[in-house]
Amino acid sequence: MIFIQKLLYYCLLFGTTLLSIFYIYTAIFKRHEGENVPYMKEVFGIVSLFVLVVLYKAYQTGELQERYTAGIGFIVLSWLCWGLVLLGYVILAKYQGRF
């Protein structure tokens, strides 16, 4: 059972870190004129910096303290940050009549 927890922990940590770095990269280097939602990439980039902080806490909890289940919890918590931003944009778009 501990092997499956470790495997899930490391896969989630690696995938979430790559996704966070991708969002930061697109926020800095992939800017286009005339985007529909003007600052969505920038907000995702800023939130991704916070996600990296949460992932560091997940690394400390999982790897250094060997509490892999709690580390997985921190990783899922970091997804909540992106989910809140996305929910905010959906509510804003609905309010402005884009849907």
Side-chain angles (χ1 to χ4, degrees), residues 86-99:
L86 191 61
L87 181 68
Y89 275 110
V90 168
I91 290 171
L92 183 65
K94 191 124 175 131
Y95 177 73
Q96 291 178 348
R98 293 185 193 173
F99 282 142

Side-chain angles (χ1 to χ4, degrees), residues 51-85:
V51 167
L52 285 177
V53 171
V54 174
L55 288 178
Y56 180 69
K57 181 66 178 168
Y59 165 75
Q60 287 178 333
T61 304
E63 180 67 26
L64 301 179
Q65 298 175 5
E66 295 184 1
R67 294 177 23 211
Y68 294 103
T69 307
I72 291 170
F74 277 115
I75 294 170
V76 172
L77 180 69
S78 72
W79 295 346
L80 185 64
C81 300
W82 288 325
L84 289 175
V85 170

